[in-house]
Amino acid sequence: MKLRKRMIWISILITSALFLLLVRLAEIQLFFTESFSKWNVNLIQESVKQRTEEVQISDGRGAFLDRNGKPLTISQKPAIVLFPFLKKQPWPIKDAADILNMSEMEINHKLERAKKPIILTKNEKGSISNMMLEKINKLKYPGIYGVYIEKTKKSRLASHTIGMTNQDPQLLRNKYPHKKELSISTKIGTFGLERTFDEFLLPEQDTKLLYHVDGLGNPLFGMDVKYTADANPFYPLQIKTTLNKEMQKSLEQILDDHHLKKGGAVLLDIEKSSVLGIASKPNLNMASQKTRQNYMLTPMYPGSVFKTVIATAAIETGLDHPSKTFNCNLNLYGKPGEDKGKLNLEEGFAQSCNYTFTSLAHQLMKKDDSIIEDTSRKLGLTEQVGWEGSLFHQDDFKQLYHEGTGAIWGDEHDKKVKKAIAQTAIGQKNVKLTPLEIANMMATIARGGEKKQVKVADQIEYKNGTLMASFKDQDLSGDTIDRYTAQRLQKLLRKVVTSRKGTGRRFRDLPFDVSGKSGTAETGKLTKDKKRLYHKWFAGYFPADKPKYALVVVDMDTPEGKAATNAIFYDIVKIVYKIEKNKT
């Protein structure tokens, strides 16, 4: 009796399992063939892929161009594609070998080992040429083709700012629930401009050569190889950035030459308020999340560069009289510790006298305890400065991904603490600004007080080069400094370089006259042998008399005396001059 009951239960379980299996098979083969699982996988497409050999010529994703229309993220290489089925029938191998400067034996050897299509971009004597492509295609034989293969550059310029793509099915479905036609293997922008402009860059259709095979890898429908491509002349779209490819490449090379480990540089076009070059260190490594940090958009201690703000407030409140001097034998707290003598504001700014600016800060705070942050706001230092506005259905589109925002005070109580005010005056305590904000401050001063948003993308273009959308110049909101204040600051910044004891005197022999301000900020970090680490800055613009470029360089977490900041700034100015001279 027990055995019979047990057999009944076993039968029920087996029947239930078979029923569930049938339901699952019905789901897969009948009901959800085009939207299976939470990823909405198209099972029909995936099944066809398993029986298809293909060579992708382009993934169909939009690309980034520099301001002159040169590609930044993709490259096109001439290539010869050989399909494996050629080894199973006679074909004009001798003609192909002559064209490619290869032996028949070498080609046969490659085909014998091939299980997938072979892509030749080089032969023994070098790269495949455009002429070779033309001659191969004139053979008009199925199975061998000359094509231009579009490759996404793994090592790309401005990588932290332009960003990268990756396969992220969850993000893809969350962002584009209505785009059911997108495969879960579609790459999506995960950070940088690739992410902010992702909606415009998504592929409509890729371009490839393909043929169907049986289980043994033989052509299923003869030797026909199909060419699939989107004939639409408008897509994929292209993002025309404001970057200058030559300047960007040179800037990155200079950072490498000086072995900058952490920090970077940002170069702006002052007139257009746009980024010409931008680079962050350490180099981007997709395997490490830490290397994705774009330090040019990250708030950090600015050190004495912040004295520009105190000088601005002093000028606006009439505390800049040339006869007024400060005892620069005292340190920031008013105690003996320096040996620079008595200096007025102009000399104190050039030599970066701490006591000058802590004294001014105390006087300013007695008049108005909001004056330091208000002045910072006038210079664009407490808000995101990257371009933002309306773009089609997006009312708050921002070009720059994860751009940080500067801050001045950490605690309102600090405004009543003398030491906190002193530290704030020299860009320490809780003062943190992004290099981009500081570069834009220099550009604002150079423009005579005109405060603008910074662009890194200029327009969105259709595939055929016609305009889809452009990003107009936009002012930053809020008050700004007047022309008189800007002119006084220009004089102070120039003195930093021309003064015999100025902290920027190294730049006097450059082909462009430079104006700027140095900065050294304590980080609170130590080396293994207990040496203090600093952020070393130089921020400025050039040519001084007719400003065209604003440049900021920062070497982060560097020991005293080992910073590469000045050498990098010097070399970037020189290379910009050389590039500009070669254009004329």
Side-chain angles (χ1 to χ4, degrees), residues 91-119:
W91 67 285
I93 186 171
K94 185 179 185 309
D95 293 336
D98 289 342
I99 293 169
L100 299 175
N101 293 322
M102 296 172 68
S103 67
E104 293 181 42
M105 184 181 297
E106 185 182 358
I107 293 174
N108 273 325
H109 183 61
K110 288 182 181 292
L111 285 171
E112 285 300 325
R113 293 183 302 168
K115 293 182 179 178
K116 293 187 175 182
I118 300 165
I119 303 171

Side-chain angles (χ1 to χ4, degrees), residues 43-114:
L43 295 173
I44 296 174
Q45 286 182 357
E46 297 303 317
S47 174
V48 170
K49 281 183 182 179
Q50 290 182 350
R51 302 192 306 273
T52 303
E53 292 290 354
E54 62 182 50
V55 175
Q56 190 175 75
I57 296 170
S58 168
D59 65 4
R61 185 174 175 83
F64 290 92
L65 311 174
D66 86 335
R67 61 173 53 202
N68 299 312
K70 297 177 182 176
L72 290 170
T73 52
I74 60 170
S75 61
Q76 283 190 327
K77 280 189 176 182
I80 305 299
V81 180
L82 299 165
F83 282 84
F85 60 72
L86 286 172
K87 62 189 173 188
K88 297 186 179 181
Q89 71 268 321
W91 67 285
I93 186 171
K94 185 179 185 309
D95 293 336
D98 289 342
I99 293 169
L100 299 175
N101 293 322
M102 296 172 68
S103 67
E104 293 181 42
M105 184 181 297
E106 185 182 358
I107 293 174
N108 273 325
H109 183 61
K110 288 182 181 292
L111 285 171
E112 285 300 325
R113 293 183 302 168

Side-chain angles (χ1 to χ4, degrees), residues 6 15 34 41 79 109 132-133 172 205 237 248 256 270 274 282 293 296 343 373 386 403 513 515 528 561:
R6 191 177 297 165
T15 302
E34 296 184 13
V41 178
H109 183 61
M132 290 177 184
L133 258 64
L172 180 73
Q205 182 181 336
L237 298 173
Q248 178 69 37
D256 288 339
I270 290 174
S274 59
Q293 182 74 48
M296 298 304 96
L343 304 174
E373 66 257 43
E403 180 192 357
D513 289 336
S515 296
K528 290 180 180 178

Side-chain angles (χ1 to χ4, degrees), residues 12-28:
I12 291 171
L13 288 173
I14 292 173
T15 302
S16 299
L18 288 172
F19 177 75
L20 291 173
L21 182 60
L22 286 171
V23 170
R24 188 62 167 169
L25 287 171
E27 285 183 337
I28 294 171

Side-chain angles (χ1 to χ4, degrees), residues 38 66 68 88 99 127 140 269 317 328 382 396 496 576:
K38 65 177 181 178
D66 86 335
N68 299 312
K88 297 186 179 181
I99 293 169
S127 300
K140 294 183 179 179
D269 179 324
T317 53
C328 289
T382 55
D396 57 349
V496 171
V576 170

